[in-house]
Amino acid sequence: MQHGDRLYRDYIDAHGPLVFMLSWILGPIAGASHLWVFRFVSTLMASLAGLAIFYTSLFTFNWQRYLATAMWLGSIASVWTVQGLNLDSYWPIGGALTVISLATFVMPMCLNQPVSMPQAFCGGFATALLPFAAYAFGPLAVFFYAIPCLIWLFRRATYRGTIKEITLGCFCACLVMTLWLALYGDIGGMIAFHIIANQKWYAHYIPFGVDAFLHGMALSFTPDRIIETLAVIACGLGSFLLVWKSTFKLSALLAICGLMTLQIRGMDGFQNGAFLMAAFALASLMATACLKNFPNILALLAFGSVGGVFLFSQHALSSPWGQTLAQRRAAG
C-alpha cells in the first residue's frame, strides 16, 4: 500500500479495511522493517478502551475509575498473549471498539446516567467503526445504535442532544472510512471479497452459527477452554447486574443480545478475543457501579479477580498456537 497498491483491488484480503487503515497509519510513523511494531495497533486500541472506562459517566470518584480500569486492564493483560490479543487483527480491534461503546454511552444510558456530548460522539464513532473491522460485527453495531434510539422514544427531551451526537459520530466514522477506501482501496472489492466471498464460501469452512455459539458458551475448565469459560462467567455476571440495575430493561437486553453476537464464531480458539474483552469490561463496569459505595470490598474484588484470571491463564493453552506456558516462554 505504501508503494501505491490499493486494498481489495491490487491484492485481495478477506479482512475488514479498518485493520489495514490503522496499520497504514502506523507504517510511516514506526516503519515497516520489523513486523512486531504493528502490534502497537492492538496496544493503542486497548489503551483507548481503558481511557473510555476511566472517563465513563457511571462513576463519580477517581478511586472508582482507577479500580474499574485496573480490573479490566489486569484481566486482559493476564491473557494478552494466550488469546492473541496482542496481534494486529480484527478481534482485539473490535473488542476495544465494543468496550469504548459500552463505557461511553450504552451502559450509562441503560442505567439512566448522563452522557456528555463528547462521550456520545466518541461512542457513536466507535460503534460505526465496528462493521469496518469485520462485517460480522455489524449486528452488534445495529443493536448498540438501537439502544439510544429506543430510550429516546421514551425520554425525547432528555436524550435529544445525545442521540444527535451519537448519530453524528456514526456518520463521521462512516465518512472517514468511505473517503479512505475511495483513496486507498476499492469499495466494490471490499463488498465482494470481505462480505460476499466470506459469507458465500468461507463461512462453510469455519465454526459458524448456532452450534458454534452453544459450544462457545459451554463451561469447561480444561486447558483449551479455561479462558473462554472465564469470559462466559464474566459476561453472565455482568449481564445479570446490568438488567438488575438498569432503568431501561429492554435496552439492557438489547445490549446483551449485541454482545452475544460476538460469540457467533464462539469456539475454543482465539477468534473469541472480542467477546472476551467485552465480557471482562461488562463485568468490571457493573461490579464497580454496584459496589461504588464500598471501596474496600471493590478493591478486594478487583485484585482477587485479576489474580484469579492470572492463575488460571498459567494452565491455559495458547489458542493461536496451542502452546503451554512453558512452550510460550521457550519461544520468547
Side-chain angles (χ1 to χ4, degrees):
M1 291 178 67
Q2 291 181 353
H3 291 88
D5 287 351
R6 297 185 67 170
L7 179 63
Y8 304 119
R9 189 191 68 181
D10 297 306
Y11 65 93
I12 298 169
D13 198 280
H15 291 82
L18 182 61
V19 180
F20 298 94
M21 177 182 171
L22 295 175
S23 304
W24 171 83
I25 293 172
L26 180 63
I29 299 173
S33 57
H34 300 287
L35 291 180
W36 63 265
V37 169
F38 290 93
R39 295 187 178 185
F40 283 124
V41 170
S42 57
T43 303
L44 172 63
M45 294 303 299
S47 300
L48 292 176
L51 285 175
I53 291 177
F54 186 85
Y55 287 106
T56 182
S57 60
L58 290 173
F59 311 134
T60 305
F61 302 108
N62 280 340
W63 66 265
Q64 299 164 349
R65 303 181 186 280
Y66 284 121
L67 283 175
T69 307
M71 203 184 312
W72 182 71
L73 288 176
S75 298
I76 66 167
S78 298
V79 295
W80 186 250
T81 56
V82 178
Q83 293 301 102
L85 300 178
N86 60 319
L87 301 180
D88 182 15
S89 195
Y90 68 91
W91 62 88
I93 294 174
L97 292 173
T98 304
V99 174
I100 292 171
S101 299
L102 282 172
T104 52
F105 78 92
V106 172
M107 295 178 65
M109 291 189 73
C110 287
L111 298 177
N112 200 25
Q113 296 295 317
V115 178
S116 68
M117 295 300 103
Q119 287 175 323
F121 179 86
C122 291
F125 197 93
T127 299
L129 285 180
L130 278 166
F132 292 101
Y135 79 96
F137 296 151
L140 172 64
V142 172
F143 275 111
F144 276 5
Y145 185 73
I147 290 170
C149 293
L150 180 63
I151 294 175
W152 174 74
L153 290 176
F154 297 97
R155 302 286 180 89
R156 290 178 182 268
T158 305
Y159 289 106
R160 182 179 292 112
T162 303
I163 190 68
K164 287 182 179 178
E165 287 297 319
I166 292 173
T167 303
L168 179 61
C170 291
F171 173 78
C172 288
C174 292
L175 180 62
V176 167
M177 292 304 306
T178 301
L179 290 175
W180 187 85
L181 279 168
L183 292 173
Y184 302 102
D186 183 79
I187 297 176
M190 181 196 73
I191 296 172
F193 297 114
H194 175 51
I195 301 176
I196 296 177
N198 266 343
Q199 192 62 38
K200 190 173 182 179
W201 291 292
Y202 186 60
H204 300 292
Y205 297 94
I206 60 173
F208 184 87
V210 176
D211 290 339
F213 172 80
L214 294 176
H215 175 65
M217 297 299 290
L219 302 181
S220 172
F221 288 94
T222 57
D224 61 335
R225 296 298 306 276
I226 290 177
I227 305 303
E228 177 81 13
T229 297
L230 292 177
V232 172
I233 293 173
C235 185
L237 174 63
S239 298
F240 170 77
L241 294 177
L242 179 61
V243 174
W244 178 36
K245 290 292 186 179
S246 179
T247 304
F248 306 100
K249 306 296 185 185
L250 182 56
S251 296
L253 292 175
L254 286 178
I256 296 168
C257 289
L259 293 180
M260 290 299 101
T261 64
L262 294 176
Q263 278 286 70
I264 201 166
R265 285 186 66 180
M267 50 190 287
D268 49 350
F270 58 94
Q271 301 288 356
N272 71 324
F275 174 76
L276 181 145
M277 295 173 73
F280 283 153
L282 178 64
S284 300
L285 286 165
M286 284 310 306
T288 306
C290 293
L291 296 172
K292 60 184 179 181
N293 295 322
F294 304 94
N296 294 332
I297 298 177
L298 183 59
L300 183 63
L301 175 64
F303 289 111
S305 61
V306 172
V309 174
F310 175 77
L311 291 175
F312 275 113
S313 68
Q314 304 305 297
H315 303 284
L317 289 177
S318 178
S319 297
W321 302 281
Q323 293 177 324
T324 63
L325 177 63
Q327 290 171 326
R328 292 198 301 273
R329 286 176 174 171

